[in-house]
Amino acid sequence: MKLYIMRHGEANYPQGSYSDRERRLTTNGEREVMTTTTWLIDKQPEVDCVYVSPYLRAQQTASILLSHLKTGQRQDCDDITPDGHAASVVSWLAAEIQEHNFNSVVLVSHMPLVSYLVHELDASVQPPIFPTAGIAVVDFSPETLRGKFQQLLIAERCAG
């Protein structure tokens, strides 16, 4: 099955706040997300589910993504925040995929978790540094909890 691991777009703290949960997408971040969304729609116009971190910038990223991508469902997940535990997330995600018989899933989250997830799935790959709105494509086997990293897409490269 195809697993798309996406980092949120560029974000800033709202004026007067230092809460990581409240960071909002910048105008550039919205553009980045739209660029990678356009690439994703071309490759995978429909996905079974989009899993989203509860943090504001990930929620905003998912809203842009979901306004263009066809999906069966969206699910917020408290465990896919920046300090999430990669091995636990992989186990949980595999169970979700098997239970619902999903063939393609997008997970919208944060650094460093997105990097650790790629490495957890494919130990032959060092944890990649995701740019904002970057998407890793992984062929994932929920039965073995392993995957094969295919590529990391960067917004600027998707546009060209």
Side-chain angles (χ1 to χ4, degrees):
M1 64 88 51
K2 285 288 186 197
L3 173 60
Y4 299 93
I5 301 171
M6 183 175 189
R7 182 182 179 195
H8 61 80
E10 178 186 84
N12 284 334
Y13 289 98
Q15 190 169 12
S17 174
Y18 296 101
S19 169
D20 191 37
R21 287 181 155 276
E22 296 174 16
R23 291 178 55 207
R24 304 183 63 82
L25 292 182
T26 63
T27 302
N28 183 58
E30 292 171 354
R31 273 193 298 273
E32 290 174 334
V33 172
M34 194 59 234
T35 299
T36 52
T37 295
T38 301
W39 176 90
L40 182 58
I41 290 168
D42 184 52
K43 302 299 179 204
Q44 185 80 45
E46 189 170 343
V47 298
D48 296 312
C49 188
V50 177
Y51 293 97
V52 187
S53 160
Y55 287 22
L56 180 58
R57 60 196 180 274
Q59 293 285 315
Q60 291 175 309
T61 296
S63 291
I64 294 168
L65 179 69
L66 291 165
S67 68
H68 297 87
L69 186 68
K70 294 177 187 171
T71 184
Q73 59 184 297
R74 169 194 174 141
Q75 183 174 328
D76 293 346
C77 179
D78 291 337
D79 295 329
I80 58 173
T81 59
D83 57 352
H85 185 262
S88 297
V89 170
V90 168
S91 294
W92 160 80
L93 188 60
E96 284 282 309
I97 289 166
Q98 288 179 306
E99 178 181 343
H100 300 288
N101 200 29
F102 290 154
N103 292 310
S104 58
V105 166
V106 177
L107 187 139
V108 181
S109 188
H110 314 265
M111 282 289 288
L113 180 62
V114 290
S115 291
Y116 296 151
L117 285 172
V118 169
H119 179 69
E120 183 70 27
L121 293 166
D122 187 344
S124 72
V125 176
Q126 289 300 314
I129 303 300
F130 274 67
T132 51
I135 300 177
V137 181
V138 178
D139 288 328
F140 178 48
S141 169
E143 296 80 17
T144 64
L145 303 180
R146 294 289 171 246
K148 176 69 177 145
F149 173 75
Q150 298 297 312
Q151 61 185 329
L152 176 62
L153 298 150
I154 299 169
E156 291 80 28
R157 291 187 192 156
C158 292

